[in-house]
Amino acid sequence: MVGDAAPPTAPASAGTFRDRLRSCFSAALHGLAADGVVAIDAAEIPALLEQVRETADAKFGDYSGPMAMGLAKKAGKKPRDIAIEIARRLAEAPGFTEAFAPPGDPVGPGFINVRVRDEALAAAVSAACRDERLGVPAVADPDTIVIDFSSPNVAKPMHVGHIRSTVIGDALARILGFRGHHTITDNHLGDWGTQFGMILWGWKRFGDEAAFAADPTGELGRIYRTVRKLADGKPEEIAADPSIAALAAKYPEAGREVLLETARLHEGDADNRALWERFMPACLGDIERLYRRLDVRFDHTLGESFFQPLLAGVVADLEAKRLARESRGAIGVFLDGDDKPPFLIRKADGAFLYATTDLATIRWRLEHWKPDRILYVVDHRQGQHFDQLFATAKRWGIDGVDLVHVAFGTVLGDDGKPFKTRAGDTVGLESLLDEGVERAAAVAAADDSVEAAERQHVAETIGIGAIKYADLCQNRTTDYVFSYDKMLELKGNTAAYMQYAVARDEGVFKKGNVDREQLRRLAAPIVLADPKERALALEIARFGEVLEDVEADYRPNVLTAWLFDVACCYSTFYDALPILKCAEPERSSRLALCDLTGRVLRKGLELLGIGTVRKM
Ligand code: ARG
């Protein structure tokens, strides 16, 4: 491919550069095997092609394929010799890339480094400028993907622990949808658990009608907090609060009675059912308000209660198939042999469990939605539950669906312990958002030219964007320390930095009085003469690859890292090169690059559920 005549440029629809390069490598590897240079099993080739990736350092070209090392080792040959053989065959493949490959490469023993031809890059960028999808190809073979996320236990206020599932799940749904998959989002509310037993019990003893009328969730929250302390609190916790201590003396059996109330609800007791129906709208109204503020929507909200009529059938079926059996009155699936604790699906008192509902839910989803995958965006502490759930589902004959626990770590405070208020309570989600917005207002207020009403909107967008981004930019499986100061920094890998880049980009068009639509229609040629222009263009052209990588491991932080790279390349470009004040053809080309960068950043943030502002 290192010929003099420029090979024909593949159309933008031909996929990402990486895909196109992988098909060149595929042909080369097949050739290598056919010519007997090394033995390669056809089945190995996809994994070898996955090794073709962007380089970490631009001095080694744009993409690189390291597979010569592994292949050489297997064949007992020198990696460099294999690399030369691959590179030779790449040269024969039609395409638009040129190799810095061996021989004579400065890079060492077996890497095949490839550079995208400038003409091809310019063509891809021009195509992206005119493309609604910004050059991102849609998947060829879309899947139906259920995303089970957020799923709070209602009747207790949402707290900081709910942010991760909500934000990560929403981002994944947006990204997978944009990739072209058919996504179905489902909020699997915990609306049937012991927390209702607590509220029912407390309401009957010290519920306050007037308080409920004035602020339903406030009153339910008060009852919940009180009863939880009574029923589950440590003795010192109870003793510390005189009002709780008094109640504890009055109701020594609270813990047992709460369970009875839950059992009565589950058995269909009319009073408890009526109260549940009365409380639910208030609980839902409360979380709905938060979802609106977070700009999170669900296709379905089928809580645990929805699946209750199916649970007895699940247990009966698992027993009939001899997958579950009785043990000390309870019924469980013995996954790891008889002496290991089973996956319980019915307690000795007849109550069904979280596990039973999840099994019923899988079957229901399969029947109604026929998904190819179900993603559960849930705290890593539920890892064992999902391992057992998936193993049981498999034995139950559920196949053809990929069940994935998309796990995440804990949000920590400065002290490295789970994030709490100073008083030691969990931090309510609402007040968490409020504080973020309040602090963002200080950032936004710096610009006096922004009107007051607009300023509130800006503060909300920046504050909530900061909180979401701070979560999404973490490798989801690790814990992270929550810090308002860090997340609102204007420099660094923060939403504010990205939002600022977008606002700055808007400013270029405003200042130059350039109509962006018209600019796109003009489709002036893209000039990539300066390395800073080329670096920005190459980064932007990777959008599709990045989204593919997000999907591969369900990691939104791959997208945030790339957005940061784009914003940095843009900043370098913007600071060094004149845009409005340069001659044609550079002027139109640079404006087109600005236009595309702004749209790409905006789209990237939108896929993370983060808004942008015109000015900040
Ligand atoms: N309600 C559960 C909790 O708060 C999470 C539910 C997750 N989804 C599921 N299908 N199990 O812990």
Side-chain angles (χ1 to χ4, degrees):
M1 65 192 139
V2 199
D4 279 334
T9 306
S13 61
T16 61
F17 282 120
R18 190 172 71 187
D19 278 343
R20 292 187 249 171
L21 185 59
R22 282 179 179 171
S23 28
C24 298
F25 265 94
S26 173
L29 292 174
H30 278 105
L32 210 63
D35 299 345
V37 181
V38 281
I40 311 176
D41 195 44
E44 280 175 72
I45 290 189
L48 294 174
L49 296 178
E50 290 223 351
Q51 298 177 9
V52 176
R53 299 196 63 90
E54 70 283 0
T55 51
D57 186 334
K59 74 169 183 269
F60 300 139
D62 301 329
Y63 293 88
S64 139
M67 69 283 285
M69 322 250 234
L71 288 174
K73 196 166 172 199
K74 231 179 62 186
K77 298 192 175 173
K78 283 207 196 92
R80 195 180 176 80
D81 294 343
I82 302 291
I84 290 170
E85 288 290 341
I86 297 174
R88 198 161 61 75
R89 284 169 180 79
L90 280 176
E92 285 158 16
F96 43 82
T97 49
E98 52 194 48
F100 289 143
D105 76 299
V107 187
F111 284 94
I112 298 156
N113 295 323
V114 175
R115 192 177 147 91
V116 176
R117 249 181 215 287
D118 286 353
E119 310 88 83
L121 182 53
V125 168
S126 307
C129 286
R130 280 172 277 120
D131 181 8
E132 292 266 307
R133 295 184 53 84
L134 307 168
V136 174
V139 288
D141 195 5
D143 272 354
T144 297
I145 308 176
V146 173
I147 305 147
D148 175 325
F149 74 102
S150 196
S151 310
N153 294 333
V154 300
K156 39 188 184 188
M158 277 175 90
H159 56 79
V160 58
H162 294 114
I163 190 111
R164 301 210 77 181
S165 175
T166 308
V167 165
I168 296 171
D170 180 53
L172 290 176
R174 289 167 185 257
I175 292 165
L176 294 170
F178 184 59
R179 296 250 304 140
H181 293 295
H182 172 45
T183 58
I184 301 175
T185 53
D186 187 11
N187 191 359
H188 189 75
L189 292 180
D191 58 359
W192 201 241
T194 343
Q195 78 274 25
F196 272 104
M198 293 189 183
I199 289 184
L200 291 166
W201 183 88
W203 176 260
K204 290 177 184 176
R205 283 159 187 83
F206 41 78
D208 180 338
E209 280 288 356
F212 183 76
D215 173 11
T217 47
E219 172 61 1
L220 295 182
R222 178 188 72 89
I223 295 176
Y224 170 74
R225 283 190 299 273
T226 309
V227 181
R228 197 184 49 105
K229 279 189 199 152
L230 277 180
D232 290 343
K234 299 189 194 84
E236 53 291 5
E237 207 184 340
I238 293 173
D241 183 338
S243 65
I244 300 288
L247 285 171
K250 191 164 168 200
Y251 304 112
E253 293 290 317
R256 204 178 48 82
E257 289 166 9
V258 161
L259 292 180
L260 280 177
E261 291 294 358
T262 315
R264 255 179 234 142
L265 172 68
H266 291 178
E267 282 154 15
D269 174 86
D271 288 347
N272 280 7
R273 177 82 201 184
L275 283 173
W276 181 84
E277 276 168 14
R278 190 168 163 215
F279 296 152
M280 271 306 282
C283 301
L284 293 179
D286 218 36
I287 61 173
E288 258 315 309
R289 201 179 58 242
L290 275 167
Y291 289 138
R292 261 200 305 279
R293 201 166 169 199
L294 288 168
D295 191 21
V296 170
R297 269 168 287 260
F298 298 91
D299 298 320
H300 303 274
T301 297
L302 300 177
E304 293 180 12
S305 61
F306 177 82
F307 298 97
Q308 293 315 301
L310 308 174
L311 303 190
V314 168
V315 175
D317 195 47
L318 283 164
E319 277 189 297
K321 296 200 165 109
R322 299 189 182 283
L323 294 167
R325 64 174 170 75
E326 201 239 88
S327 156
R328 283 190 254 138
I331 296 177
V333 182
F334 287 78
L335 291 161
D336 304 306
D338 287 348
D339 50 341
K340 294 274 163 51
F343 190 45
L344 277 190
I345 54 174
R346 211 183 77 188
K347 290 200 240 174
D349 66 6
F352 300 115
L353 294 102
Y354 184 49
T356 331
T357 311
D358 258 333
L359 285 166
T361 307
I362 294 182
R363 199 154 76 167
W364 191 93
R365 285 173 176 164
L366 254 57
E367 201 179 303
H368 291 83
W369 295 335
K370 304 190 175 31
D372 301 290
R373 305 179 221 173
I374 305 178
L375 311 185
Y376 296 84
V377 187
V378 185
D379 195 305
H380 71 111
R381 282 167 291 193
Q382 294 192 28
Q384 193 193 15
H385 166 75
F386 286 106
D387 286 347
Q388 294 184 315
L389 175 67
F390 300 163
T392 301
K394 199 166 165 203
R395 291 193 189 184
W396 203 17
I398 284 168
D399 63 2
V401 58
D402 208 3
L403 303 171
V404 188
H405 178 198
V406 179
F408 53 78
T410 309
V411 183
L412 306 175
D414 288 336
D415 54 1
K417 300 211 183 87
F419 191 39
K420 293 268 163 69
T421 61
R422 236 162 248 162
D425 295 320
T426 47
V427 179
L429 192 47
E430 184 109 61
S431 61
L432 184 95
L433 300 182
D434 286 342
E435 182 162 355
V437 171
E438 210 171 286
R439 290 182 183 231
V443 177
D447 187 344
D448 290 336
S449 64
V450 180
E451 307 253 328
E454 171 84 10
R455 235 181 263 178
Q456 182 51 32
H457 164 74
V458 170
E460 189 83 13
T461 309
I462 297 175
I464 292 188
I467 294 173
K468 287 186 169 188
Y469 194 94
D471 196 298
L472 292 165
C473 72
Q474 305 294 329
N475 184 341
R476 63 174 163 78
T477 45
T478 52
D479 300 342
Y480 76 93
V481 175
F482 190 92
S483 158
Y484 286 114
D485 290 335
K486 255 181 93 180
M487 69 177 67
L488 283 164
E489 270 168 15
L490 278 177
K491 283 246 143 53
N493 189 11
T494 62
Y497 180 61
M498 250 56 80
Q499 288 165 325
Y500 176 68
V502 172
R504 182 146 94 156
D505 182 77
E506 287 279 344
V508 173
F509 294 94
K510 202 159 169 212
K511 188 164 165 217
N513 204 8
V514 180
D515 179 346
R516 298 174 80 146
E517 297 284 341
Q518 203 185 352
L519 182 73
R520 278 167 225 159
R521 274 196 304 276
L522 277 176
I526 298 289
V527 186
L528 301 176
D530 191 284
K532 296 182 235 13
E533 290 171 315
R534 188 185 188 279
L536 177 60
L538 185 71
E539 208 55 77
I540 291 178
R542 290 194 49 236
F543 198 179
E545 297 165 15
V546 167
L547 296 182
E548 185 182 341
D549 290 347
V550 172
E551 176 174 343
D553 207 14
Y554 305 113
R555 288 189 193 276
N557 67 313
V558 174
L559 175 56
T560 60
W562 172 78
L563 282 174
F564 184 50
D565 288 343
V566 172
C568 289
C569 285
Y570 181 62
S571 178
T572 309
F573 159 92
Y574 182 97
D575 291 340
L577 302 176
I579 298 168
L580 291 165
K581 289 200 186 98
C582 67
E584 294 294 357
E586 278 82 8
R587 187 175 186 271
S588 294
S589 166
R590 287 182 189 162
L591 279 169
L593 267 180
C594 282
D595 174 52
L596 184 59
T597 307
R599 288 161 72 204
V600 154
L601 287 174
R602 219 185 263 280
K603 185 75 195 176
L605 288 172
E606 179 196 312
L607 293 177
L608 299 169
I610 297 173
T612 48
V613 295
R614 291 191 164 267
K615 207 167 173 186
M616 65 187 272

